[in-house]
Amino acid sequence: MEMRAVLVYAFLAVFIDSCRGTLMNCDEVRQVFQLKQIGPVKSVPETPITGSDLQVCLSKNVTCCTKKMEERYQVAARRDIQNLLQTSSSSLKFLISRNVAAFQETVDSLVRQAENHTQTVLLHTYRDLASSASAPVGEFFTDVGLFVLGSELSLEEASHRFFDALFPLVYERLVEPGLSLLSPAYAECVRAACRDLVPFGGAPGRLATHISRASLPGRMFLQALHLGIEVINTTDHIQLSRECRRGLLRMNYCPHCQGLTASQPCMGYCLNVVRGCLASLAEVDAHWREFVRSLETLSTRMHGAQDLEQVLLGVHGLVRDAVDHAQRNGPRLSAQVHKVCGRPSRQPEQVGSAQHGSGGGRDSIPLKGAVRNAEDSLSNWRRDFISSLRLYRTFYGGLADLLCVSELGSGDGLACWNGAEVDKGYTLRVVGNGIKAQAENPEVKVKEADPVINQVIDKLKHINQLLQGRSIPKLGTLDQIETGSGDGYSGDCDDEDGCWGSGNGAAERRRIVPILTPENTNNHRYHHPQTKDFDQMNSGTGVTESVPLALVSICVFGLLSG
């Protein structure tokens, strides 16, 4: 009997030691505590204690944890989950950020091509006009580039400034060519009279309309990408509830208190805890899926009048025809300029100066098309980007499962931590994703959705509505907005076709206000995830009113000019 008692005692001693880990001392706990930089090593007891003051990591046996350690572990658990969130979303965030930059570079390259082509056409068609017109052409296309990328400048005004600056040059070189240049004062008078004399017909307003209409989808696309980055920044820094923090502590670090520093949570246990913590993020899933589909839908609509490449690379045709229009109406313009500014006043003739002429007819020198790299086209960029983005359409729906399967949970068949001890499995019910499913969660109590995540969802709903062209109250659909200003410009329009109109041009000089502007998404702090324009949309101020005004202006403009 004595021998049996000794064997039983020895067995129990070995069993208890194996279950408790290294609870004979706290050396291993101290090493991990220091290795993971959880807190000062001196806060870890050298030998196990009763742990009667612990709040979460309760144990019937002795423990290597103190109340201060428990607090440090909770901070570490929160840090760990946020690091995992950022790591998991890093490739998606990089994809979107990289393509924001790629879009801007492609637009810049396209604008420069359009500018060079316009300069080339002026050079081949009106040799003496080209060098002097270089500055106005460059300034106009700089404004176009800013507008396409979301600037709030008035493209209508930029177009009029361009033609205002072009008029004295056209008058001097083509309408009343002379041996010397117009005096600065007379040239300024001609420039100031441009809008009243309407020498280029309706070209200024038409040019602004075509570019504005073609830019709208691209501006909206870029706006959506900025919002996508904002969504990721916000979800990366989600505010974790007290219940969630305690659940993560119990799952990841309470085993350390028992010396089980190498244990991993059972898969079902991990899913319950992480699905409870990320329940609000799961609610983003449906709207994120729709966001990806909406971008794809918008991408397929960017053709014809909404093809920015086609419109910008056709600007030269409109400018050339506008100059031709002024040249053909030279006698009328001369009489009008004389009436407003008097007889032409010219600078003293310079030695060696030559008479300014047209430099040859339009057809005397064959024109070459703009050099375009097919790989850098906007359509190819959109196709490649959408193809990559589709891989992330279920990102938020499977995020909790991804973290448990790839990072946190134990593999099948292995001994794992079930919240109380290391055993072969987790026996409680495993709940699904989302807020409603958490009502039965045995590990984390979820009361309601995170209000900041709800704001992000509202923004996704709003941008999805715009991207898909759904009906907007009092405005109609995006299709109606986009096509409300008439048919696309062909580039070959004469007076007989009724393209230019007459009169004072007032109907063509309405301000085109941008629909959406790009966001500054550099602020990744949780408490300030919203971007400026969407905040104003939500609060009913500022941009909230500018958006419908912009859309209305385009619609009204279309009705009057169509």
Side-chain angles (χ1 to χ4, degrees), residues 159-466:
S159 180
H160 275 289
R161 283 200 308 270
F162 165 61
F163 281 103
D164 287 350
L166 193 62
F167 183 39
L169 304 177
V170 171
Y171 184 81
E172 174 186 80
R173 312 296 170 85
L174 302 179
V175 176
E176 288 201 14
L179 294 177
S180 58
L181 304 178
L182 295 175
S183 68
Y186 195 86
E188 173 59 24
C189 179
V190 174
R191 187 201 65 79
C194 181
R195 300 195 191 187
D196 291 329
L197 301 183
V198 198
F200 304 107
R206 191 177 300 278
L207 177 61
T209 299
H210 293 328
I211 297 177
S212 178
R213 183 172 57 196
S215 300
L216 175 61
R219 285 162 64 90
M220 214 173 275
F221 202 97
L222 184 60
Q223 177 75 22
L225 297 191
H226 282 291
L227 178 59
I229 296 174
E230 180 190 332
V231 170
I232 299 169
N233 287 338
T234 304
T235 55
D236 277 354
H237 298 83
I238 185 175
Q239 185 78 295
L240 302 176
S241 68
R242 179 174 179 272
E243 284 289 328
C244 169
R245 296 196 301 270
R246 290 168 69 93
L248 291 172
L249 166 62
R250 187 179 298 109
M251 181 180 77
N252 290 329
Y253 289 107
C254 282
H256 291 213
C257 298
Q258 299 182 28
L260 306 171
T261 56
S263 67
Q264 286 186 295
C266 301
M267 186 58 65
Y269 177 42
C270 179
L271 290 173
N272 274 346
V273 173
V274 180
R275 284 176 178 176
C277 288
L278 305 186
S280 292
L281 297 195
E283 298 297 320
V284 178
D285 178 55
H287 307 287
W288 181 261
R289 288 171 184 258
E290 186 178 1
F291 176 70
V292 176
R293 288 194 299 269
S294 299
L295 285 173
E296 185 173 7
T297 299
L298 179 63
S299 179
T300 61
R301 297 155 64 93
M302 294 185 188
H303 57 83
Q306 277 76 52
D307 185 342
L308 186 61
E309 286 179 283
Q310 176 180 320
V311 171
L312 288 185
L313 294 178
V315 166
H316 68 88
L318 193 151
V319 173
R320 182 191 62 195
D321 289 349
V323 174
D324 280 354
H325 176 80
Q327 192 174 19
R328 285 196 301 271
N329 287 274
R332 176 181 63 82
L333 288 176
S334 292
Q336 292 176 328
V337 169
H338 293 170
K339 185 176 181 180
V340 174
C341 301
R343 302 296 299 180
S345 172
R346 297 184 179 273
Q347 299 181 28
E349 183 177 350
Q350 301 295 323
V351 177
S353 63
Q355 182 174 357
H356 302 289
S358 64
R362 175 188 306 174
D363 299 325
S364 61
I365 301 178
L367 298 180
K368 296 182 179 180
V371 178
R372 301 173 63 183
N373 186 343
E375 295 181 356
D376 294 335
S377 69
L378 284 173
S379 58
N380 285 342
W381 165 78
R382 289 194 307 269
R383 185 190 64 241
D384 293 343
F385 170 67
I386 292 296
S387 178
S388 298
L389 188 63
R390 280 198 207 100
L391 301 177
Y392 295 91
R393 63 185 181 276
T394 62
F395 175 74
Y396 285 103
L399 185 55
D401 301 54
L402 173 67
L403 296 184
C404 285
V405 171
S406 63
E407 300 289 343
L408 299 172
S410 173
D412 293 338
L414 301 177
C416 53
W417 173 255
N418 61 17
E421 60 182 352
V422 172
D423 203 344
K424 290 185 177 181
Y426 180 72
T427 58
L428 300 181
R429 175 185 176 183
V430 179
V431 301
N433 284 297
I435 296 295
K436 293 182 179 180
Q438 306 314 307
E440 304 298 327
N441 194 328
E443 305 299 341
V444 178
K445 302 298 181 185
V446 180
K447 297 180 180 179
E448 58 185 1
D450 186 304
V452 175
I453 299 301
N454 283 340
Q455 291 180 11
V456 167
I457 290 174
D458 287 342
K459 293 178 183 182
L460 283 172
K461 289 179 180 178
H462 179 78
I463 197 68
N464 288 341
Q465 186 180 35
L466 291 177

